[in-house]
Amino acid sequence: MPDCRPPLASPSRPRHVLPAGACDTHCHVFGPGDVFAYAEGRSYTPPDAPYAKMAALHAHLGVERAVVVQANCHGSDHSALLDALAQSGGRYRGVALLGADATAAGVKQLHNGGVRAARFNFVPHLGGAPAPAVFDRVISLIAPLGWHVCLHLDGAMLPQLLPRLRALPVPFVVDHMGRLKAADGLESPAMRALLSLADVPQAWVKVSGIDRIASGQRPFAEGIPFVRALAEAMPDRTLWGTDWPHPNVAGDMPDDGELVDTFFEACPDAGLRQRVLVDNPARLYGFL
C-alpha cells in the first residue's frame, strides 16, 4: 500500500505563460506498479504516477520538455524511466540511479534511451552518502558519455563536499537548492555555500523543491528570495523543476500551477527566465 500522498488531482492553471521550449528539469514517474514493480527494500511506496499523468500535467502547465529523475522506490531498475522517455518522442531526458552493480554496457543502454546524468542521494532518509569507491566508479563510467551528476544532499553537507566536487571531471547539479532551510536566512552557511558555486564553472543548481525549503505552507513564498538570489548569481547554470508528484512531502501538497507562478514572481526578468527555463536545460541535457 502507498505510504505517500498523491499529488493534487486538479492543479490550477498558471496565470503566466511559459516560454516555448520550457523544461521541467525535475519530475518522477512511479509505476504503474503492476507493470513496473517497485524495488524490494525501498524506503517508501508512492501512489502510481505513470507517464500519462506526468505528460498531462506538463500539457496543463505549458511545459514542452522534461527531465525524469529515477526514483529511489524503483532502485536500479530503470524500466519505467526508459518507457517514459520512449513515449515522450525525444521531449524528455532522464537521470539514472547507479550503484556498485553499474556496468559500461548498462550505462550505454541508458544513454541510448535518453539518459544524460546519474543521481546520488546523500540524504539520510534515502540511505545516506554513497561509498566513495562507488561514487568514483560511476563517475568513470559516465564521463566518457558527457553525462553530469545530480546531487541530492542537505545544504549543511555542501561546504565539506566542495573540494571533492571541484575536482570532478564532469559537471554537477545540486538538486532542490541543497534542501537548505529558508528559516535560516539568506546568510546561512548553506546558502553561502550554494552561492559560492557561482565561481565553480562545472557547478549548476536546481531551484526545485521550494516547498521543501519553506515552512510547508502554500504558496511557499519564503522560498522566493532564495530562488531569486540563486538565479541571479548563476544565470547560465540555474535550472527549474516541479518535483512532481512530490514524494514524501511533509507539509501542504504543492499546486504545480502555483509553482509556475511562484517562479515568475521570483524571476521577473523575461531574459533570465528564458535562460533558466529553456536555454540552460537545452544546453545541459542536449535538447539543442
Side-chain angles (χ1 to χ4, degrees):
M1 292 291 293
D3 52 25
C4 295
R5 289 178 292 156
L8 294 184
S10 300
S12 64
R13 188 173 297 279
R15 300 188 310 275
H16 298 88
V17 178
L18 289 169
C23 184
D24 175 359
T25 66
H26 200 102
C27 50
H28 307 281
V29 61
F30 296 148
D34 60 350
V35 179
F36 303 110
Y38 296 113
E40 295 292 332
R42 60 191 175 276
S43 58
Y44 66 93
T45 302
D48 287 344
Y51 169 80
K53 288 186 177 180
M54 181 170 58
L57 173 80
H58 287 151
H60 177 74
L61 300 179
V63 167
E64 294 183 15
R65 298 167 173 167
V67 179
V68 186
V69 178
Q70 173 76 353
N72 178 268
C73 61
H74 277 298
S76 60
D77 182 351
H78 294 85
S79 300
L81 171 65
L82 291 173
D83 178 76
L85 301 187
Q87 289 195 64
S88 78
R91 295 186 303 113
Y92 291 4
R93 296 285 189 266
V95 176
L97 286 180
L98 301 177
D101 58 348
T103 65
V107 171
K108 181 63 175 176
Q109 182 181 20
L110 291 171
H111 183 84
N112 292 340
V115 175
R116 293 296 180 267
R119 192 187 201 208
F120 292 98
N121 288 304
F122 287 77
V123 291
H125 74 276
L126 294 177
V134 172
F135 185 88
D136 292 342
R137 182 170 180 275
V138 169
I139 295 298
S140 72
L141 290 175
I142 70 173
L145 295 174
W147 287 20
H148 59 277
V149 292
C150 294
L151 306 174
H152 186 200
L153 47 77
D154 185 314
M157 304 172 182
L158 194 54
Q160 68 189 56
L161 285 173
L162 269 179
R164 189 174 185 190
L165 299 178
R166 288 176 183 269
L168 285 175
V170 297
F172 63 92
V173 179
V174 176
D175 287 347
H176 300 331
M177 296 178 275
R179 296 183 69 112
L180 53 76
K181 294 178 175 60
D184 292 341
L186 288 167
E187 297 301 320
S188 70
M191 185 58 175
R192 289 201 302 270
L194 275 176
L195 290 173
S196 76
L197 296 179
D199 297 324
V200 181
Q202 72 268 33
W204 296 64
V205 66
K206 216 180 273 180
V207 291
S208 55
I210 192 171
D211 59 295
R212 299 186 187 278
I213 75 164
S215 66
Q217 296 182 326
R218 287 169 48 194
F220 317 113
E222 60 268 50
I224 289 175
F226 297 83
V227 174
R228 180 178 296 128
L230 290 165
E232 291 177 351
M234 302 172 65
D236 295 314
R237 289 178 281 124
T238 296
L239 308 163
W240 172 85
T242 61
D243 195 27
W244 186 90
H246 313 288
N248 300 307
V249 165
D252 290 348
M253 182 58 63
D255 179 320
D256 293 282
E258 284 182 356
L259 292 180
V260 171
D261 291 330
T262 297
F263 177 72
F264 272 72
E265 184 176 350
C267 189
D269 180 83
L272 182 54
R273 285 200 307 271
Q274 172 72 22
R275 282 190 271 184
V276 173
L277 294 171
V278 183
D279 301 341
N280 295 348
R283 190 170 79 254
L284 184 63
Y285 287 94
F287 287 114
L288 296 176

